[in-house]
């Protein structure tokens, strides 16, 4: 059974700090921390770039959805998601149905600073990261806005400060 009240779900673009903030938040709240990217990599034993190559983005989104559903079976959890999870209709619907969805709002400039190009982020490989991130933001921003309950600006803040603000705003 998914627990509607306990799970805290972090959404936002690459480089918004979902993983680092989520870890601190979970520790502060004495919750378990889960990360959908980490789960997919652990479960398959290969990189996200490899999954994109072999199964396409569709295959990755399906695996990401399975990871999300598995985590939502637990109580008292903080879940960091991948930036594109909201493009998958079923993932977006299940996230929207939860009440503690936090959108980490981040400018393109900060995303470029923080989001390293690696096999964890195949969408940025071989592109101009700035244009790609801008293009993704155009279609994704309305979705992040639509399904989130709390929006937090991350540009000038450290993950520890963001985690504390989330706790303050959840009370
Ligand atoms: C993606 C973001 C990545 C990872 C994958 C796809 C995206 O996660 O899930 O490379 O589509 O924005 P982060 O948001 O943690 O970088």
């Amino acid at each position: 059974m998914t627990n509607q009240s306990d799970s805290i779900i972090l959404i936002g673009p690459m480089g918004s700090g979902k993983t680092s903030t989520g870890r601190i938040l979970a520790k502060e709240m004495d919750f378990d921390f889960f990360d959908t990217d980490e789960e997919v990599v652990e479960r398959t034993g290969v990189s996200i770039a490899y999954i994109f190559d072999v199964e396409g983005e569709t295959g990755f989104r399906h695996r990401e959805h399975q990871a999300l559903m598995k985590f939502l079976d637990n109580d008292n959890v903080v879940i960091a998601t991948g930036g594109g999870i909201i493009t998958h209709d079923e993932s977006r619907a299940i996230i929207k149905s939860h009440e503690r969805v936090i959108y980490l709002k981040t400018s393109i400039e900060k995303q470029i600073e923080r989001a390293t190009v690696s096999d964890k982020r195949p969408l940025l490989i071989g592109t101009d990261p700035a244009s790609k991130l801008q293009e993704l933001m155009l279609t994704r921003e309305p979705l992040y806005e639509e399904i989130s309950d709390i929006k937090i600006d991350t540009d000038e803040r450290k993950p520890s400060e963001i985690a504390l603000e989330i706790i303050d705003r959840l009370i």
Side-chain angles (χ1 to χ4, degrees), residues 22-161:
R23 275 191 208 288
I24 297 168
L25 179 61
K27 201 162 172 220
E28 292 287 334
M29 296 187 71
D30 206 15
F31 275 23
D32 287 323
F33 173 72
F34 295 111
D35 181 296
T36 55
D37 286 337
E38 283 174 9
E39 168 71 10
V40 171
V41 169
E42 221 166 87
R43 204 177 167 133
T44 56
V46 295
S47 69
I48 295 176
Y50 186 85
I51 299 171
F52 266 67
D53 273 352
V54 175
E55 300 180 347
E57 183 168 347
T58 310
F60 174 73
R61 296 296 167 213
H62 178 66
R63 291 183 181 280
E64 194 177 34
H65 179 71
Q66 288 176 323
L68 175 68
M69 297 311 288
K70 176 179 161 186
F71 296 156
L72 287 172
D73 266 345
N74 299 276
D75 289 342
N76 299 335
V77 291
V78 174
I79 302 171
T81 58
I85 200 166
I86 43 84
T87 62
H88 183 274
D89 290 349
E90 287 169 58
S91 294
R92 191 170 66 254
I94 189 84
I95 293 172
K96 189 175 180 180
S97 74
H98 280 72
E99 286 165 7
R100 305 211 279 180
V101 179
I102 322 289
Y103 169 27
L104 301 186
K105 279 179 82 88
T106 307
S107 68
I108 301 290
E109 291 70 29
K110 284 286 167 188
Q111 285 182 59
I112 294 164
E113 258 178 59
R114 299 178 188 153
T116 48
V117 180
S118 73
D119 63 2
K120 187 187 174 296
R121 300 194 169 108
L123 291 174
L124 299 184
I125 295 174
T127 65
D128 165 33
S131 336
K132 187 65 190 180
L133 289 166
Q134 184 80 59
E135 176 200 317
L136 293 173
M137 207 51 175
L138 275 180
T139 51
R140 293 177 176 184
E141 166 112 76
L143 304 177
Y144 295 133
E145 291 281 352
E146 183 203 332
I147 67 174
S148 52
D149 303 293
I150 294 177
K151 300 158 209 325
I152 298 194
D153 214 316
T154 76
D155 272 13
E156 304 306 328
R157 334 263 281 284
K158 292 190 285 206
S160 54
E161 295 167 338

